[in-house]
Amino acid sequence: MMKSLVVLAAAVALTASPSMQGRSRVVVLGTGTPNADPDRFGPAVAVVVDDASYLVDFGVGVVRRAAAAERAGIVALEATHLTHAFATHLHSDHTLGFADLMLTPWILERRAPLEVYGPRGLKSMATHLVAAYAADIRVRSTGGEPAHQYDARRVNVHEIEPGVVLRDARVTVTAFAVKHGAWPQAFGYRFQTPDRTIVISGDAGPDSGIEAQCQRCDVLVHEVYSEAGFARRPPEWQAYHARYHTSSRQLGAIAARARPRLLVLYHQLIWSSTEEELLKEVRSAYDGEVVSAHDLDVF
Ligand SMILES: [Zn+2]
Ligand SMILES: [Zn+2]
């Protein structure tokens, strides 16, 4: 009797969703854009391996969204575990949470300074944010709060070039250049974990060569805009979007060449169209599995 119960328990465990079985997960913390959509926080994606987390971008609300994921059971996203972050580029929608990521976990007794990787200019941004919050840091350090684990003015910024930017016991992180309008440096990131290959586009135009980074990867997280919504935008904005971002049908064609096991849409610019229409547009050029992500989705 005991034995059959054990066997039954094992069978139940194995029917859990695929994303829950392995050591790594993709947690989409924020799917937003500069549009002030109350349902979509600023862009941020966490690659979680065991109890470690690696953030890609830190848009508005990043630490709160991580706390929501922790409450849902992902321990790696507890605030003091947010130790590594990778910026795709310095657009404000992707970096408005930088001060939050530097300071909030520090107050909550993170053990060491943030390690942050990204394009040239990231160091200057960190230095200016530390200066902007000098009064806060001074009062919190000398005004009666219990002693902190390190000096909040320390942020370990790594300005990177394309190639392997981090290798530890759990991941190899490769930065690759993408085309994002006038930005001199914009990156996507590929994570090789013990059980998955995960590619994240960041903001990228259609000629960014992302298919070469994926090549049957497990998860491709890619930005996108709706063609139907685009058609109703003013011409001067159309010229901008076409130069900086990837349309639904262009993404379908990229995915058809990249063949990911799962395509995840994020940073969706939908405008006056709908999410259903957006998915239909992608599917018109791509017959693989695709989902349009919402904040706090886990894959
Ligand atoms: Zn953006
Ligand atoms: Zn951008």
Side-chain angles (χ1 to χ4, degrees):
M1 181 63 186
M2 277 302 282
K3 196 174 174 196
S4 63
L5 274 178
V6 170
V7 170
L8 184 64
V12 168
L14 284 174
T15 56
S17 80
S19 62
M20 300 305 161
Q21 285 173 28
R23 293 175 60 184
S24 13
R25 295 174 206 181
V26 179
V27 184
V28 183
L29 297 175
T31 56
T33 66
N35 298 328
D37 181 340
D39 298 324
R40 294 184 182 273
F41 281 37
V45 176
V47 173
V48 168
V49 185
D50 305 330
D51 60 352
S53 71
Y54 307 83
L55 297 177
V56 175
D57 286 332
F58 23 84
V60 161
V62 59
V63 176
R64 254 80 177 160
R65 277 304 202 218
E70 190 233 344
R71 189 184 281 173
I74 301 176
V75 180
L77 290 171
E78 198 267 329
T80 62
H81 291 201
L82 305 176
T83 55
H84 289 77
F86 300 82
T88 59
H89 64 300
L90 300 184
H91 253 152
S92 53
D93 51 322
H94 298 251
T95 53
L96 281 167
F98 197 8
D100 189 16
L101 195 56
M102 284 159 48
L103 294 171
T104 308
W106 169 69
I107 299 164
L108 299 176
E109 304 180 354
R110 183 169 57 196
R111 287 173 180 278
L114 180 69
E115 300 287 335
V116 59
Y117 302 75
R120 283 186 296 280
L122 192 62
K123 222 170 247 182
S124 166
M125 188 180 271
T127 304
H128 283 88
L129 287 170
V130 165
Y133 283 94
D136 170 84
I137 292 168
R138 188 174 57 249
V139 170
R140 290 189 189 281
S141 301
T142 63
E145 278 189 25
H148 295 284
Q149 306 277 329
Y150 60 92
D151 186 334
R153 292 169 298 184
R154 266 190 64 199
V155 185
N156 294 332
V157 180
H158 310 265
E159 291 187 347
I160 58 170
E161 297 292 336
V164 173
V165 293
L166 175 71
R167 189 178 276 133
D168 66 16
R170 299 183 179 88
V171 291
T172 299
V173 185
T174 305
F176 56 91
V178 297
K179 291 185 181 161
H180 187 40
W183 284 102
Q185 273 190 315
F187 297 113
Y189 290 98
R190 177 156 44 86
F191 287 77
Q192 184 65 58
T193 76
D195 54 346
R196 290 169 110 187
T197 304
I198 296 151
V199 176
I200 299 165
S201 69
D203 282 5
D207 304 320
S208 294
I210 286 178
E211 52 271 48
Q213 301 297 328
C214 172
Q215 288 308 311
R216 298 185 182 271
C217 62
D218 294 287
V219 185
L220 173 58
V221 181
H222 204 293
E223 69 121 91
V224 67
Y225 69 81
S226 147
E227 287 199 352
F230 177 89
R232 294 189 284 271
R233 295 285 287 158
E236 57 274 25
W237 273 111
Q238 287 184 342
Y240 173 83
H241 299 313
R243 191 169 159 226
Y244 279 76
H245 297 291
T246 301
S247 79
S248 45
R249 253 172 265 264
Q250 288 168 337
L251 178 55
I254 291 166
R257 296 192 294 271
R259 305 305 312 175
R261 205 183 281 255
L262 175 65
L263 172 63
V264 176
L265 312 183
Y266 89 134
H267 198 283
Q268 300 100 322
L269 286 162
I270 298 172
W271 302 300
S272 58
S273 188
T274 64
E275 205 167 21
E276 292 68 37
E277 193 59 40
L278 175 75
L279 277 165
K280 215 181 282 175
E281 291 165 1
V282 175
R283 288 188 178 124
S284 73
Y286 180 56
D287 61 3
E289 198 177 339
V290 51
V291 293
S292 182
H294 297 134
D295 287 19
L296 299 173
D297 280 350
V298 180
F299 301 102

